[in-house]
């Protein structure tokens, strides 16, 4: 049985995020109708195969074209509970729209993301009770972390009639959706509104400000052992950890920020100010680097992206680099940072050197052909640490050589029979849609395992290692 939406704390006003305009604003009804009628409704639709959650894209677009918007939203949300945020933030250029048959004909692909956003937002604003939960089963699951993977898993479990309790150490829930998505794609309050809807799907409780640890010793902490004692299963949606550091002279001090930490403040902290920041250097070649460069450029900052390899070798998407360039950012290829230059403690530049010369220089020798990139701010986007401590608090959970939680791909179960995992802590840092896809697999497996264990017996948590 569905219940009234949970009221989440509102983000404070005055955030820098509020200054950004929507890159792809929601379609009007007429715009959505016109775009939907361009679709060819392919029988063997390549767009479906390119979607990690396998949304029946031609079906939902046809429903929009025939005025069945509610049916379109149901088709989307049944396959992907975070259909709204994925409609706004998914890199459709390399997923569904990237495989649209129109591309082969040199024509503009169908704007699948914008149509998806239109259908979901239009319907949930009027009919939030679109999906309804099954009767209670008496089974329960604890979910660690309130990011996209845990949110989606909790929703799917609740729809099956299970109780889901999400534990989040931060005061603001939502993970990447609320605090990490570029604000020109999606605002934090939009992510929280979507989260409120998921929480309304059934028996879901969110406990913010609670840390899961190996041994609870203080208020606001709960141990892994306690979770396994109280719940039938546990899902680890841990995301990633802190931003990696450069490890160069001058890095410590004001003006050098981790990229994800900076984006989080930009989206949620009204105290953040960029007064005096006229020039910035962003170090890295992934999508996080491109996002923060794009954001700074849109705010009027002169941005240089420093990358250790060539443009062709960047892991960031080509369309994201192009967007950053259009906003005003420039790319400096094949360079590595060697020093953060300060004048009386104030950051003034980033010293860089040719990457190849740096690698081949004898030990102790100064890098060749160094140059200075003037900067008032240096944003470091070279990766994040793994959230290993929490995962290892659960007996039987293992990590691979890269610090990712090891799971069975077919079920997303870890080495502990009652602990499952998904999202960035498993895949190393992919898209929201990948987190949802993995959450679906895990939720289905948890549901089947819990119901098999029930076997007609009275509901209650299984014993450790069962």
């Amino acid at each position: 049985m569905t219940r009234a939406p949970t009221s989440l704390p509102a983000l404070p006003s005055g955030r820098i995020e509020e200054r950004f305009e929507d890159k792809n604003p929601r379609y009007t009804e007429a715009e959505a109708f016109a775009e939907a009628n361009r679709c060819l409704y392919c029988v063997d639709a390549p767009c479906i195969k390119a979607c990690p959650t396998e949304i029946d894209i031609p079906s939902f677009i046809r429903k929009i074209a025939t005025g069945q918007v509610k049916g379109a939203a149901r088709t989307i949300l049944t396959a992907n509970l975070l259909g709204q945020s994925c409609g706004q933030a998914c890199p459709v250029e390399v997923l569904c729209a990237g495989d649209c048959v129109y591309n082969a004909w040199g024509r503009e692909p169908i704007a699948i993301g914008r149509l998806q956003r239109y259908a979901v937002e239009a319907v949930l604003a009027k009919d939030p009770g679109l999906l309804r939960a099954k009767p209670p089963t008496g089974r329960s699951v604890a979910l660690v972390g309130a990011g996209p993977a845990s949110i989606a898993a909790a929703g799917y479990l609740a729809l099956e009639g299970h109780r889901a309790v999400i534990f989040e150490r931060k005061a603001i829930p939502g993970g990447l959706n609320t605090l990490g998505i570029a604000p020109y794609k999606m605002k934090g309050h939009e992510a929280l509104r979507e989260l409120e809807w998921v929480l309304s799907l059934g028996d879901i409780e969110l406990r913010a400000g609670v840390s899961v640890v190996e041994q609870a010793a203080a208020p606001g902490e709960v141990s892994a052992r306690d979770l396994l004692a109280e719940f039938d299963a546990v899902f680890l949606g841990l995301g990633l950890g802190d931003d990696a550091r450069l490890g160069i002279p001058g890095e410590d001090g004001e003006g050098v920020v981790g990229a994800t930490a900076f984006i989080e403040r930009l989206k949620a902290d009204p105290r953040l100010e960029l007064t005096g920041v006229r020039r910035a250097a962003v170090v890295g070649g992934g999508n996080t680097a491109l996002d923060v460069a794009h954001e700074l450029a849109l705010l009027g900052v002169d941005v240089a992206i420093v990358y250790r390899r060539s443009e062709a070798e960047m892991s960031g998407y080509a369309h994201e680099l192009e967007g950053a360039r259009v906003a005003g950012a420039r790319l400096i290829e094949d360079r590595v940072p060697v020093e953060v230059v300060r004048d009386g403690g104030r950051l003034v530049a980033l010293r860089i050197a040719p990457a190849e010369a740096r690698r081949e220089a004898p030990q102790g020798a100064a890098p060749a052909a160094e140059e200075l990139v003037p900067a008032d701010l240096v944003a470091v986007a070279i990766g994040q640490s793994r959230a290993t401590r929490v995962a290892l608090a659960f007996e039987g959970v293992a990590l691979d050589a890269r610090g990712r939680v090891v799971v069975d791909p077919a079920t997303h179960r870890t080495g502990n029979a009652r602990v499952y995992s998904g999202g960035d802590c498993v895949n190393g840092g992919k898209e929201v849609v990948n987190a949802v896809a993995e959450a679906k697999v895990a939720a289905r497996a948890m549901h089947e395992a819990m119901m098999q264990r029930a076997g007609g017996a009275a509901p209650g948590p299984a014993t450790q290692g069962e």
Side-chain angles (χ1 to χ4, degrees):
M1 181 176 181
T2 56
R3 55 185 174 83
T6 299
S7 179
L8 298 174
L11 290 170
S13 60
R15 310 179 323 273
I16 291 178
E17 173 183 64
E18 296 172 319
R19 304 179 195 173
F20 291 87
E21 295 183 359
D22 199 333
K23 177 184 176 183
N24 292 307
R26 174 179 153 183
Y27 274 147
T28 64
E29 181 179 357
E31 289 170 334
F33 180 80
E35 183 65 13
N37 274 284
R38 284 208 308 125
C39 184
L40 300 175
Y41 314 120
C42 306
V43 175
D44 186 23
C47 54
I48 298 177
K49 299 174 183 177
C51 175
T53 56
E54 299 180 331
I55 296 173
D56 188 343
I57 294 168
S59 177
F60 94 70
I61 294 179
R62 182 185 290 273
K63 288 174 181 175
I64 293 174
T66 55
Q68 303 175 64
V69 183
K70 185 175 180 178
R74 183 178 286 109
T75 297
I76 295 164
L77 295 170
T78 300
N80 182 344
L81 282 179
L82 302 188
Q84 176 187 320
S85 55
C86 287
Q88 292 179 248
C90 253
V92 295
E93 295 87 348
V94 296
L95 294 174
C96 53
D99 272 15
C100 178
V101 295
Y102 276 136
N103 290 296
W105 302 340
R107 297 176 61 185
E108 188 72 19
I110 300 298
I112 297 170
R114 296 186 72 180
L115 287 171
Q116 180 169 311
R117 177 186 180 181
Y118 165 77
V120 175
E121 286 192 4
V123 170
L124 292 188
K126 299 178 180 179
D127 187 8
L130 187 67
L131 304 179
R132 298 189 178 277
K134 296 177 182 178
T137 64
R139 297 281 152 175
S140 62
V141 177
L143 302 102
V144 184
S150 289
I151 294 169
Y156 286 116
L157 290 164
L159 288 171
E160 292 291 348
H162 307 301
R163 177 171 178 254
V165 181
I166 306 173
F167 295 86
E168 170 56 48
R169 63 183 178 86
K170 293 182 178 180
I172 301 175
L176 173 68
N177 274 17
T178 306
L179 302 172
I181 292 177
Y184 51 83
K185 298 177 184 175
M186 183 175 182
K187 304 291 193 297
H189 70 270
E190 294 173 318
L192 291 177
R193 185 171 62 225
E194 181 179 52
L195 172 55
E196 285 183 343
W197 174 74
V198 174
L199 294 176
S200 76
L201 292 176
D203 189 1
I204 306 176
E205 179 185 355
L206 172 64
R207 299 182 188 176
V210 178
S211 297
V212 176
V213 296
E214 186 173 0
Q215 293 184 336
E221 293 182 345
V222 61
S223 72
R225 184 182 297 274
D226 288 342
L227 293 185
L228 287 169
E230 181 180 352
F231 296 90
D232 296 282
V234 174
F235 178 83
L236 303 178
L238 305 174
L240 297 176
D242 296 332
D243 293 293
R245 291 169 55 84
L246 294 169
I248 61 175
E251 182 175 13
D252 295 327
E254 189 175 350
V256 180
V257 297
T260 63
F262 176 77
I263 294 172
E264 179 173 329
R265 291 197 64 197
L266 184 146
K267 291 179 66 68
D269 187 355
R271 297 168 298 177
L272 176 64
E273 297 180 358
L274 295 180
T275 305
V277 177
R278 296 178 294 108
R279 301 164 301 187
V282 177
V283 182
N287 288 311
T288 300
L290 299 180
D291 274 348
V292 74
H294 194 164
E295 291 158 9
L296 287 167
L298 288 174
L299 291 169
V301 178
D302 179 16
V303 182
I305 305 168
V306 179
Y307 181 52
R308 62 193 174 97
R309 292 179 178 153
S310 69
E311 178 178 336
E313 296 173 284
M314 294 179 76
S315 60
Y317 298 133
H319 70 272
E320 296 288 10
L321 175 59
E322 180 60 22
R325 278 176 163 156
V326 169
R330 66 187 188 281
L331 174 64
I332 302 176
E333 304 174 76
D334 298 309
R335 296 293 188 274
V336 293
V338 295
E339 181 188 5
V340 174
V341 181
R342 297 182 180 276
D343 180 6
R346 183 176 63 88
L347 191 156
V348 295
L350 180 68
R351 190 185 304 278
I352 61 176
E356 193 63 36
R358 180 70 175 174
R359 285 193 293 268
E360 294 178 352
Q363 187 173 6
E370 294 181 350
E371 55 189 297
L372 293 179
V373 178
D376 308 300
L377 177 75
V378 173
V380 182
I382 58 172
Q384 294 172 253
S385 63
R386 307 299 187 219
T388 57
R389 183 174 299 178
V390 175
L392 295 178
F394 293 87
E395 183 180 354
V397 176
L399 308 174
D400 67 12
R402 297 174 62 184
R404 300 172 298 188
V405 179
V406 177
V407 298
D408 174 1
T411 61
H412 271 259
R413 190 176 71 181
T414 70
N416 185 314
R418 290 173 51 222
V419 179
Y420 298 73
S421 188
D424 285 352
C425 66
V426 170
N427 62 44
K430 291 188 176 180
E431 307 295 340
V432 173
V433 68
N434 298 100
V436 176
E438 293 174 9
K440 283 175 62 178
V441 172
R444 185 181 302 115
M446 284 186 279
H447 167 69
E448 293 175 354
M450 288 188 293
M451 300 312 290
Q452 286 174 2
R453 283 200 296 260
T463 57
Q464 167 68 28
E466 183 177 356

